[in-house]
Amino acid sequence: MRLLKQLLPVLAVAFIGGQGAMAVQENPVLSLAVGLVTAVVAMFVYAWTVRWSERRSPTEVAVKGAASRTLLGVLIGAAWFTAIIGNIAFNGGYRVEGFGEIAGPVGLFGFMAAVSVTEELLFRGVLFRIMEERTGTWLALVLTSVLFGLSHMLNPDATLWGAVAIAVSAGGTLAAVYAATRNLWVPIGLHFGWNFVQGGVFGTAVSGNGENDGLLDGVLSGPTLLTGGKFGPEASPHTVVSGILLTLAFLWLARRRGNLVSRKGGAPATAASIAR
């Protein structure tokens, strides 16, 4: 019941925000505004539902330290994708043919802000966190990663392999980041940095949602096994392998900090206790 009390309100905000984004997708300024408003409202709704259903302060989205933690996540996500596209380019699968217009990245900034916030609140803030209390960190990570991958099957150019790749790389990494930090700001930043740099800078498809107008007029070419095909670089083996390595690294950090939860249960550390 607690899971539904937190999941449904955030889902409602995500759905309404998504419909609003579709309605104004041709206007980059309105797209930016709708996306940012959706992200802010979703955060407030999540915090309120946690206070209401758990009778506690939602320390995982505490305002103190939010900016620095989000920036850290953005830098990790941006660096991660830049390394991926660099490897694909090195192997002849990506090239830049010029520069794009600023309108595309402006609208995409708002859209990706909404996506990163709502998906992290749903999958890591609600599903992973509550499942972890009952099943432990490892099983919760596996279950939520599978659900995260399956959710991307709804995208226009979705493929089964793309969903598997998302589950293994992004699903595992983002859950492990939350386990290591016990706050949602770092995974939100990482999610945003990855998505925005992918579509808004390098101009590639993001999770099978079609091509994007980025700052660079980039073109993926060559075998699907290298580039990820229409699904985008997230379906590239480079992403999957690096995602597994990042997941293991953050789980190691979580274990070192005493943040892993066993199947027998136990209260994981909070962001506040880690900062001390």
Side-chain angles (χ1 to χ4, degrees):
M1 184 63 70
R2 176 166 57 105
L3 188 148
L4 291 178
K5 287 179 179 179
Q6 297 177 20
L7 192 70
L8 294 180
V10 178
L11 261 177
V13 174
F15 176 77
I16 294 171
Q19 294 302 303
M22 290 179 61
V24 300
Q25 60 183 339
E26 300 301 324
N27 187 314
V29 175
L30 287 179
S31 295
L32 174 65
V34 169
L36 294 178
V37 168
T38 299
V40 171
V41 171
M43 191 64 70
F44 275 108
V45 168
Y46 172 83
W48 179 82
T49 58
V50 168
R51 290 191 183 94
W52 167 58
S53 61
E54 298 186 13
R55 299 292 188 269
R56 69 173 180 86
S57 175
T59 55
E60 64 271 25
V61 291
V63 175
K64 184 179 180 180
S68 60
R69 288 167 176 157
T70 303
L71 178 58
L72 173 62
V74 170
L75 292 175
I76 295 172
W80 182 15
F81 185 77
T82 300
I84 295 298
I85 202 68
N87 273 281
I88 293 175
F90 180 78
N91 287 283
Y94 176 83
R95 67 181 185 277
V96 176
E97 296 189 338
F99 294 94
E101 298 180 359
I102 193 65
V106 167
L108 198 61
F109 188 98
F111 179 74
M112 290 308 180
V115 168
S116 59
V117 169
T118 55
E119 288 190 355
E120 290 314 301
L121 292 177
L122 290 169
F123 286 96
R124 263 58 68 176
V126 179
L127 291 173
F128 176 79
R129 181 175 58 82
I130 293 178
M131 284 185 183
E132 185 187 38
E133 295 174 5
R134 299 190 177 189
T135 66
T137 301
W138 287 95
L139 186 54
L141 184 148
V142 171
L143 292 175
T144 55
S145 293
V146 170
L147 292 174
F148 189 60
L150 288 174
S151 71
H152 289 76
M153 286 296 291
L154 301 174
N155 295 344
D157 294 323
T159 63
L160 179 58
W161 166 245
V164 171
I166 286 282
V168 173
S169 58
T173 298
L174 291 166
V177 169
Y178 173 75
T181 61
R182 290 301 161 185
N183 76 81
L184 288 168
W185 296 114
V186 180
I188 285 172
L190 194 159
H191 197 152
F192 174 80
W194 170 274
N195 279 359
F196 182 73
V197 168
Q198 186 174 185
V201 176
F202 291 101
T204 64
V206 180
S207 308
N209 277 305
E211 297 297 328
N212 293 288
D213 296 324
L215 292 174
L216 299 175
D217 182 12
V219 177
L220 287 169
S221 61
T224 299
L225 182 62
L226 170 66
T227 66
K230 289 186 177 181
F231 193 84
E234 287 167 321
S236 169
H238 291 286
T239 301
V240 176
V241 172
S242 60
I244 292 173
L245 294 176
L246 281 174
T247 298
L248 294 175
F250 280 109
L251 285 175
W252 172 83
L253 182 60
R255 182 177 181 275
R256 184 175 181 180
R257 290 177 169 179
N259 288 353
L260 295 183
V261 178
S262 68
R263 292 190 63 180
K264 296 180 181 179
T270 63
S273 66
I274 292 171
R276 286 198 294 267

